[in-house]
Structures are given as structure tokens and as C-alpha cells.
């Protein structure tokens, strides 16, 4: 029996929003093994300048990422969707081992198989140094805050 990760395509506005929120919630656990289960076993990624294939590479990448990006907290918002594809914009904040806080801005393009597993992910991301006092993302979203738009700056 194939793995299934609802909602499955073709997406509606409601199911696309649920898919984006599920991804945000999973990534905020910072559990590489849990996150990797949302992707096909042979999923292909471009993350910044890295190219990954398969869950083992995804787990290794996320393990290293969250060892470096401390106190990581993420927000994702649906930008667009069509059939088996979703476009997302996101921001996350984290600090490095030296205590410098960062806000990372990005866009992702997602493609799903018929079982709702992501088979392709392309992410462009830029990092901006911020003062701790300028943080606005602190842990998972509060109840009822899902889908709130992200400020541009």
C-alpha cells in the first residue's frame, strides 16, 4: 500500500492552505525524520545552492541545518496553487552559535504525487542579520493565527 499524506492533489484553496500549514507545523518540530516523511523516497530538492535526492539526504541536510540554525521558528504562507503544485513564501528566524539573530526570507515551489507526498521542492532563500529586539517569530503560531500574512520586511 502506498504512503499517503493528505490532503492530496488536485488542490483547492482550502486543501492548499492545509498543506502549507501542515508543512509549517512539521518543520517547527525541528525533527528531520518526521519532516522527511512528507517527501517521496526519491524526492528532489534545490535548497539555496544545494541539490538533494531522497529522504536520507533530506534527513542529513535538516540535521545539520538545525544544529547550526538554533531556536529556529518558521512561518509559511500560501502564495499560489494549481493541480499538484503549490507556491509558498516563508520567513524564519534563528540565531547562530555566536548569538547573532537572522531572519531568512524565501520562496518555495512544491510538486506533489497523487498520494500527497512532495516529489520536488525548490527553495530560494536570503538571510538578513537582525537584532534580537527585532524578532517577530517566536515558536509555533498561536491558535487562530494560521494564514496570517507575512510582512515584507
Amino acid at each position: 500500500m502506498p504512503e499517503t499524506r493528505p490532503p492530496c492533489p488536485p488542490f483547492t484553496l482550502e486543501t492548499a492552505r492545509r498543506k502549507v500549514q501542515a508543512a509549517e507545523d512539521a518543520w517547527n518540530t525541528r525533527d528531520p525524520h518526521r519532516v522527511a516523511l512528507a517527501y517521496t523516497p526519491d524526492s528532489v530538492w534545490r535548497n539555496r545552492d544545494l541539490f538533494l535526492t531522497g529522504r536520507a539526504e533530506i534527513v542529513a541536510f535538516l540535521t545539520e541545518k538545525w544544529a547550526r540554525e538554533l531556536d529556529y521558528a518558521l512561518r509559511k504562507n500560501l502564495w499560489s496553487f494549481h493541480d499538484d503544485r503549490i507556491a509558498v513564501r516563508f520567513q524564519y528566524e534563528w540565531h547562530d552559535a555566536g548569538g547573532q539573530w537572522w531572519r531568512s526570507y524565501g520562496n518555495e515551489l512544491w510538486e506533489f504525487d497523487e498520494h500527497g507526498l512532495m516529489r520536488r521542492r525548490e527553495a530560494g532563500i536570503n538571510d538578513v542579520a537582525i537584532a534580537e529586539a527585532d524578532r517577530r517569530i517566536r515558536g509555533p503560531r498561536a491558535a487562530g493565527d494560521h494564514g496570517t500574512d507575512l510582512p515584507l520586511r
Side-chain angles (χ1 to χ4, degrees):
M1 176 158 233
E3 298 173 73
T4 302
R5 183 69 70 149
C8 300
F11 296 109
T12 65
L13 178 58
E14 176 57 31
T15 61
R17 284 182 175 154
R18 284 197 343 246
K19 196 65 141 179
V20 171
Q21 190 58 56
E24 177 184 307
D25 293 345
W27 279 65
N28 275 325
T29 69
R30 296 182 295 234
D31 179 342
H33 297 279
R34 176 180 171 188
V35 171
L37 292 175
Y39 301 91
T40 60
D42 60 349
S43 184
V44 293
W45 282 25
R46 180 189 58 79
N47 194 90
R48 300 177 192 246
D49 60 346
L50 298 175
F51 297 85
L52 310 171
T53 301
R55 287 181 179 163
E57 288 185 17
I58 292 168
V59 168
F61 167 79
L62 293 174
T63 299
E64 190 277 327
K65 170 187 177 64
W66 289 320
R68 185 183 73 256
E69 295 179 357
L70 306 173
D71 294 321
Y72 171 100
L74 167 72
R75 296 292 183 273
K76 290 183 183 282
N77 282 106
L78 175 67
W79 186 256
S80 184
F81 69 95
H82 181 73
D83 293 331
D84 64 349
R85 296 178 181 189
I86 295 176
V88 174
R89 61 187 208 107
F90 63 89
Q91 296 176 23
Y92 62 90
E93 293 177 353
W94 56 282
H95 67 87
D96 59 29
Q100 173 62 58
W101 280 93
W102 299 88
R103 182 173 303 123
S104 299
Y105 296 89
N107 301 296
E108 292 177 310
L109 303 175
W110 299 344
E111 182 180 55
F112 295 87
D113 72 7
E114 66 275 15
H115 305 289
L117 295 169
M118 195 182 303
R119 65 177 156 220
R120 181 174 177 163
R121 174 184 174 267
E122 297 184 33
I125 307 167
N126 300 306
D127 303 314
V128 177
I130 61 172
E132 185 173 5
D134 293 332
R135 291 181 59 211
R136 62 175 173 240
I137 303 173
R138 299 176 188 271
R141 290 186 195 248
D145 186 35
H146 297 288
T148 302
D149 199 23
L150 301 168
L152 187 57
R153 293 184 199 219

